[in-house]
Amino acid sequence: WYYELDEKQIIMKIIFFFSSRRRHTRFLPVSWARRCVQETGFIARILVLVFVHYTDIDYNVISEGASYVLQGQSPFKRHTYRYSPLFAYMMIPNHFIHEDFGKILFILIDMLNGVFFRRILDKIYTDQELSKKKKDGLETLWLVNPIVIACSTRGSSDTLIVLLCLIVIDLSLIHISE
């Protein structure tokens, strides 16, 4: 069914999926306000992806590196490729599913960054030290920050690096939550 839909129809299906209360609350038991912020952040990223076209070529270079990988060659055959080969392998679905697959992947990683950011706040600060409202505010600063949104929607691999850093921080704080 994916191949029969155009880009705008796919975007609307994704937005409908994430805005459905019944489906969303099954995954994360979050408050109504937090869910609204998370959905707003996601929808903002999708809208920016659809309507803003960036002039940088990093995403295109990584995607072309993926085409070299598909041919059994090194992504470094592309003379301006200067990234980890892992990124070229991550962009292989760009050639089979959709040219913006990698950007959507980075958007999802960025939303996961917001989840880890909140988990870290919950582990570091108890309710007495930092109120739930302030934690929600800090999470909101991440999820609707235009700079963060621009990084993930232009196809920047920085979101993956941030995710790995947040995972390390989260894992290092295990003893605090116990």
Side-chain angles (χ1 to χ4, degrees), residues 121-122 124-132 134-135:
L121 285 175
D122 288 339
I124 292 176
Y125 299 106
T126 62
D127 289 336
Q128 296 82 22
E129 294 173 350
L130 190 64
S131 70
K132 181 182 177 304
K134 288 182 182 177
K135 289 179 193 175

Side-chain angles (χ1 to χ4, degrees), residues 24-35:
H24 190 69
T25 55
R26 206 180 319 161
F27 299 113
L28 281 175
V30 296
S31 69
W32 181 82
R34 278 186 65 204
R35 187 173 63 239

